[in-house]
Amino acid sequence: MQQQKEHQCDVLIIGSGAAGLSLALQLADQLRVIVLSKGPLREGSTLYAQGGIAAVFDENDSIDSHVSDTLIAGAGLCDEAAVQFTAEHAKTAMEWLIAQGVPFDQYRDEDGVLKYHLTREGGHSHRRILHAADATGRAVQITLVDQVKSHPNIRLLENYNAVDLITAEKLGLPGQHCHGAYVWNRNSEQVEVIAARFVALATGGASKVYLYTSNPDVASGDGIAMAWRAGCRVANMEFNQFHPTSLYHPEAQNYLITEAMRGEGAYLQRPDGSRFMPDFDERAELAPRDIVARAIDFEMKRLGVACVYLNISHKPKDFIIEHFPTIYAKCLSVGIDITKQPIPVVPAAHYTCGGVMTNLNGQTDIANLYAIGEVAYTGLHGANRMASNSLLECVVFAQSAARHILANLTANTALVKLPQWDESRVSNSDEEVVITHNWHELRLFMWDFVGIVRTTKRLERALHRVELLQREIEEYYRHFRVSNNLLELRNLTMVAELIIRCAMERKESRGLHYTLDYPELDPLPTPTVLTPPVRS
């Protein structure tokens, strides 16, 4: 049997987006860091984030206003302390990104003073969105990747899947500590073990659980599922944000049309050219995403049409190309000239507002295990995430977690000798079709039964189906060697169950969770918290 590889580090960071790379750079001057990337280092949700990052840079804006806008968008379920903390640390976080070299757009005012160009997006009362044209996430990701690649204390493991966390409980040791993780090397197709004094989950969200999503393939809820299996609580998984405007074209699936386009005057229209958002909300196209997505879903179902349209062609051509060069080029590549014609759009699963419960330091229920970014539930987003608060959360909480880790380098974080992965009783699979079939079934029934509009009956059907799938997959997992598709499907079915159970517990319609059986608001709403069952 081939000897398995063993790795050691001070901090293992699982995930290589804005949260994971920011944390690595904050720690690496003092600690040895391993960053695990499921695919190529640049790939992930950060790369595809278009709009920008919210922070108060305008003298006419204020932190209180940013807090107020976020609380309103969160529909009564935000944790006010988390919102205040994030808004207060936003400018410092952005200044750190600027120092790393992120090229946010700038201009000179009438006095010749160089300032950052700020745009406005849905839910914001002021222009406070820093951006790099319409490809902010790409600028952030490329900049951070360049920085981590040049740091001698950061080791990058690309094309690795995390399999499971290794806790004191699994090792038969006292206490609740995380001591490392089993990881699957996609190149050698071998499971390896990484021992670490601290582990941070920065794996992003779980929107791949849905049939239509704006997210890249790696967004399969791995961190949430691993943390749940390890014994961490999760919260608010019923609040999955559907981005209102994903490009509807067979040659350009998963392509987002940024919120910033509506911020700059684009409007939604029916196939006959008439506008409809003013009929749903006085803020029209600048209403929060849940309202816009539900309005589009309603119009599509009412009219029996495959999509609606987003029109910015009334703006000058030069303005459109300057502000949205990436979208202009992408649409043109599939025969759509956005300077002359509207863009066909549909909603798509976009952001997981719930996740692994943490405090303001990014700490989970398990000692030495942190969660930052979309994988975490900090309380910032409540029942609906406001535009451009997501990348902000990544950097703010990466800095917070880094401060906490560096302040807690004590003897109880010593490395522990970890056992190797046991695959003595498994074989190679000759039934890959089982995974493919279950994969498609899961994403289809999640879209149909646990999508933008829900009912109790749909949720009950979904739960019944996901429990059947889980039994099949666990049986498969016990008998065959792991693979990328098996690991992702195992995690997605776990996350699907968490989403469904949270949705069934919420007996109201609020934010991103809308059910026909409980259309009214609960006057005393609380977060939906799930606690893992006690293992005997």
Side-chain angles (χ1 to χ4, degrees):
M1 180 178 170
Q2 182 178 347
Q3 182 70 18
Q4 295 175 8
K5 285 188 179 180
E6 298 180 39
H7 310 270
Q8 292 185 345
C9 60
D10 294 313
V11 185
L12 168 62
I13 300 171
I14 303 174
S16 59
L21 297 186
S22 295
L23 179 60
L25 289 167
Q26 299 275 337
L27 294 172
D29 287 345
Q30 299 183 51
L31 300 173
R32 297 169 302 141
V33 177
I34 289 179
V35 175
L36 204 74
S37 178
K38 193 197 258 186
L41 197 59
R42 288 186 176 184
E43 182 65 16
S45 293
T46 296
L47 186 75
Y48 300 99
Q50 296 172 347
I53 310 178
V56 175
F57 272 71
D58 189 328
E59 57 271 17
N60 296 316
D61 196 2
S62 68
I63 290 173
D64 286 346
S65 178
H66 189 180
V67 169
S68 176
D69 291 345
T70 301
L71 293 174
I72 291 169
L77 270 188
C78 293
D79 182 295
E80 291 196 30
V83 176
Q84 187 74 33
F85 179 85
T86 305
E88 287 177 351
H89 289 83
K91 189 172 184 180
T92 300
M94 293 309 96
E95 289 171 341
W96 180 82
L97 282 181
I98 291 165
Q100 303 310 303
V102 176
F104 292 118
D105 286 4
Q106 295 177 283
Y107 74 101
R108 292 195 182 276
D109 67 12
E110 54 193 23
D111 297 322
V113 178
L114 196 61
K115 292 186 175 182
Y116 287 99
H117 182 270
L118 305 173
T119 190
R120 183 182 171 195
E121 297 183 357
H124 291 275
S125 58
H126 292 80
R127 286 182 172 267
R128 65 168 68 100
I129 314 302
L130 284 85
H131 62 100
D134 61 345
T136 306
R138 176 175 290 274
V140 170
Q141 185 72 11
I142 289 173
T143 301
L144 295 181
V145 166
D146 288 344
Q147 293 287 349
V148 298
K149 280 186 171 180
S150 64
H151 203 295
N153 277 354
I154 299 175
R155 186 178 173 201
L156 305 169
L157 298 182
E158 292 186 80
N159 297 309
Y160 274 75
N161 291 58
V163 178
D164 262 322
L165 299 168
I166 303 173
T167 60
E169 180 185 23
K170 290 181 180 178
L171 299 173
L173 298 174
Q176 286 189 307
H177 288 73
C178 185
H179 295 291
Y182 290 113
V183 301
W184 184 67
N185 184 332
R186 297 169 75 162
N187 302 309
S188 67
E189 298 190 348
Q190 294 291 319
V191 176
E192 301 172 7
V193 62
I194 303 177
R197 298 167 68 190
F198 301 90
V199 178
L201 298 170
T203 53
S207 288
K208 198 177 175 182
V209 76
Y210 287 101
L211 184 62
Y212 300 112
T213 174
S214 64
N215 286 195
D217 281 345
V218 294
S220 52
D222 303 331
I224 297 169
M226 287 190 297
W228 175 261
R229 289 195 293 267
C232 293
R233 292 170 299 162
V234 302
N236 279 16
M237 291 297 293
E238 70 269 40
F239 298 115
N240 196 285
Q241 187 174 69
F242 290 82
H243 195 289
T245 53
S246 179
L247 177 61
Y248 179 73
H249 194 281
E251 296 175 27
Q253 296 182 11
N254 301 357
Y255 190 77
L256 270 192
I257 307 299
T258 175
E259 188 103 6
M261 187 171 282
R262 282 180 280 134
E264 294 295 345
Y267 56 81
L268 287 158
Q269 59 187 45
R270 303 178 181 95
D272 66 2
S274 61
R275 289 182 65 182
F276 58 87
M277 276 311 303
D279 298 339
F280 290 87
D281 193 282
E282 62 182 11
R283 292 164 289 187
E285 280 77 13
L286 289 178
R289 288 177 177 176
D290 61 316
I291 295 172
V292 179
R294 203 154 53 241
I296 293 172
D297 183 70
F298 179 86
E299 288 296 315
M300 286 171 56
K301 289 175 177 174
R302 183 178 72 86
L303 297 172
V305 296
C307 66
V308 295
Y309 295 87
L310 183 67
N311 198 340
I312 198 169
S313 63
H314 52 283
K315 291 284 189 177
K317 180 176 181 178
D318 291 345
F319 174 90
I320 295 170
I321 295 174
E322 177 188 354
H323 282 76
F324 307 107
T326 311
I327 295 173
Y328 173 74
K330 181 68 174 182
C331 289
L332 205 58
S333 73
V334 295
I336 302 167
D337 185 346
I338 67 173
T339 67
K340 298 178 180 177
Q341 60 194 118
I343 308 165
V345 294
V346 293
H350 181 58
Y351 191 88
T352 307
C353 287
V356 183
M357 291 189 71
T358 73
N359 61 16
L360 297 182
N361 295 317
Q363 294 173 279
T364 69
D365 292 330
I366 296 176
N368 305 339
L369 177 65
Y370 295 75
I372 52 174
E374 191 175 352
V375 68
Y377 165 78
T378 63
L380 171 64
H381 306 305
N384 185 17
R385 176 181 72 87
M386 189 167 68
S388 290
N389 270 351
S390 52
L391 289 178
L392 173 64
E393 181 184 38
C394 290
V395 184
V396 166
F397 283 88
Q399 293 184 330
S400 177
R403 287 193 297 270
H404 192 266
I405 289 170
L406 292 172
N408 288 275
L409 300 176
T410 58
N412 69 345
T413 58
L415 288 171
V416 172
K417 177 65 177 175
L418 302 180
Q420 292 200 337
W421 180 259
D422 181 10
E423 55 178 27
S424 60
R425 291 169 291 181
V426 298
S427 61
N428 290 321
S429 170
D430 58 358
E431 291 289 338
E432 193 75 14
V433 67
V434 174
I435 295 178
T436 304
H437 175 80
N438 288 350
W439 186 277
H440 291 303
E441 182 182 352
L442 172 71
R443 299 181 76 199
L444 182 60
F445 75 66
M446 285 297 290
W447 183 263
D448 288 342
F449 298 152
V450 200
I452 296 173
V453 177
R454 302 159 179 175
T455 67
T456 301
K457 194 69 175 176
R458 291 175 191 171
L459 294 174
E460 289 171 347
R461 287 173 178 164
L463 182 61
H464 176 68
R465 293 194 183 189
V466 83
E467 288 173 340
L468 291 175
L469 283 183
Q470 285 178 330
R471 287 197 287 271
E472 284 187 21
I473 293 162
E474 282 304 314
E475 175 76 11
Y476 193 99
Y477 183 78
R478 284 196 297 269
H479 288 88
F480 298 112
R481 289 190 173 89
V482 298
S483 66
N484 177 66
N485 286 344
L486 175 57
L487 291 171
E488 288 193 339
L489 183 59
R490 179 178 180 238
N491 290 333
L492 279 176
T493 53
M494 185 73 263
V495 169
E497 181 191 340
L498 297 175
I499 292 171
I500 296 163
R501 290 194 182 279
C502 282
M504 293 178 77
E505 286 199 14
R506 185 158 295 282
K507 308 298 185 185
E508 62 165 349
S509 289
R510 180 179 299 275
L512 300 166
H513 173 73
Y514 186 82
T515 170
L516 296 176
D517 292 318
Y518 300 97
E520 302 301 322
L521 290 171
D522 186 328
L524 298 171
T526 57
T528 307
V529 178
L530 299 182
T531 302
V534 177
R535 290 176 288 275
S536 57

